[in-house]
Amino acid sequence: MKKIKLTVATLLISGICYGQTQVKNDAITKKIAYIESVNTIQDMIQWMQSDIEDKRIDKDYGEAYIKNLISLLSKLEDINAGYIDCENCDEID
């Protein structure tokens, strides 16, 4: 659970830094951001599975969390593939 909190905090801090710096809007930058996001979500899924196995978190809560992460990963892949128009990314639930 501690890993998840640290990951969320890292993502929030990186979001703040991202907003404060001027980032080039090119394909390489977008691809790097996509790959990093996918890797982070996959790591979080593995950490949650480990926490469930070690009984650090209730199995039902952990599985619900994993289900939400998989849904997030699917939406991210759809955006990357162009199935979802990213101009409306803030409207995706």
Side-chain angles (χ1 to χ4, degrees):
M1 193 67 174
K2 217 178 213 186
K3 294 176 191 174
I4 293 170
K5 290 179 183 178
L6 290 174
T7 303
V8 171
T10 303
L11 288 172
L12 289 173
I13 291 171
S14 66
I16 291 169
C17 294
Y18 180 83
Q20 292 178 348
T21 59
Q22 189 175 22
V23 178
K24 293 181 181 176
N25 191 13
D26 60 359
I28 295 172
T29 304
K30 290 179 182 179
K31 189 67 175 175
I32 291 170
Y34 168 74
I35 291 170
E36 286 299 318
S37 299
V38 168
N39 287 339
T40 301
I41 294 169
Q42 289 173 341
D43 286 343
M44 291 175 70
I45 290 170
Q46 289 177 347
W47 296 335
M48 183 56 67
Q49 289 170 339
S50 175
D51 288 345
I52 292 169
E53 289 173 9
D54 295 341
K55 300 193 187 294
R56 292 183 187 147
I57 190 165
D58 183 62
K59 185 176 180 179
D60 292 333
Y61 290 122
E63 288 175 354
Y65 196 87
I66 289 171
K67 182 179 174 185
N68 288 331
L69 287 171
I70 290 171
S71 174
L72 177 63
L73 188 58
S74 174
K75 289 176 184 176
L76 184 62
E77 289 170 351
D78 288 347
I79 290 169
N80 187 57
Y83 296 130
I84 298 175
D85 183 13
C86 204
E87 291 177 10
N88 299 321
C89 288
D90 58 335
E91 296 175 10
I92 298 173
D93 293 338

